[in-house]
Amino acid sequence: MISVHMTPVPRSTVVAYRDDGVLSRAMGALVAGQLPPLPPVLVGMFVTGVMLMVGVAGTDGLAVFAPAVALLLAGPGSSHPHDGRLDWLVPPILRLTEYGFVASVGFAHEVPPGLIFLLLGAMAFHHYDIVYRVRQRVYPPPWLATFGFGWDGRMLLIALGGLAGQVTLMFALLALYLWCLFSWESVTCWLAAPRFGVDAADLEAHD
């Protein structure tokens, strides 16, 4: 019988949607929640967008890391409770920037479109799964964000593939790994305790 430890949902569901990796969470710990999350995310998105438009995604040198490093401006805000009126915008901005970066690097380096969409699909599946889990009060375990690399780790790995001149290989390995990890963890979690989350959500709805 499968046994899965159910992790409580954080007080702010907005934080749950961020999908921060090890690096982003470590940066957030340094500022102890004192940095508002939205301004640095907006700056990171703007800088990343400008760099992608000038063609950084197609380079094979260190410049390909620039967008990923720029978006790391969002990292320190990971420990904030995200209780501001517009802080709900942070997760969709992170998703848009991450997906845009992955697609830009992939098409710039002539990665097969099917492989690009396979990798984007793995990330989209994971993020949709998080949304549904939060609704059902069945939050994924902390180790999943670590082993799934988070938005920050995935961007840096794609940039590393560009630096090494092995973008297609990196896309293939990352897509295979993420699909195996996210689908396995999701299926085993829901099979182990599907009624727990549903019943908990129903109870809270009637309280």
Side-chain angles (χ1 to χ4, degrees):
M1 181 178 179
I2 301 173
S3 177
V4 177
H5 176 70
M6 308 313 295
T7 305
V9 178
R11 287 189 303 170
S12 171
T13 56
V14 177
V15 177
Y17 297 139
R18 284 183 56 110
D19 190 28
D20 293 299
V22 174
L23 183 58
S24 183
R25 296 198 305 268
M27 295 171 68
L30 292 176
V31 299
Q34 299 304 307
L35 180 67
L38 186 58
V41 168
L42 289 173
V43 173
M45 180 185 67
F46 175 76
V47 175
T48 299
V50 170
M51 290 179 177
L52 292 178
M53 285 190 293
V54 300
V56 168
T59 64
D60 293 322
L62 287 173
V64 74
F65 278 95
V69 173
L71 194 59
L72 285 178
L73 291 169
S78 63
S79 59
H80 190 275
H82 290 61
D83 51 2
R85 179 174 297 180
L86 296 178
D87 287 349
W88 62 271
L89 290 170
V90 172
I93 291 174
L94 290 175
R95 297 292 81 77
L96 177 64
T97 311
E98 180 188 8
Y99 294 172
F101 176 74
V102 171
S104 297
V105 173
F107 285 115
H109 288 268
E110 300 182 347
V111 175
L115 194 53
I116 296 174
F117 288 114
L118 191 64
L119 177 55
L120 290 174
M123 296 187 297
F125 167 80
H126 173 55
H127 294 139
Y128 174 79
D129 190 48
I130 291 178
V131 171
Y132 192 74
R133 286 176 190 238
V134 171
R135 290 177 56 192
Q136 301 299 324
R137 303 298 188 265
V138 183
Y139 188 64
W143 62 261
L144 185 60
T146 300
F147 287 97
F149 306 124
W151 59 265
D152 45 336
R154 291 188 292 267
M155 288 183 65
L156 290 173
L157 284 173
I158 293 298
L160 181 62
L163 178 64
Q166 298 293 333
V167 178
T168 299
L169 178 61
M170 179 61 74
F171 268 68
L173 293 177
L174 195 55
L176 178 62
Y177 171 75
L178 292 180
W179 268 116
C180 290
L181 174 68
F182 293 149
S183 59
W184 170 80
E185 194 282 330
S186 178
V187 169
T188 54
C189 177
W190 288 113
L191 286 178
R195 292 186 58 81
F196 177 84
V198 174
D199 290 346
D202 290 342
L203 286 174
E204 289 190 11
H206 288 87
D207 286 344

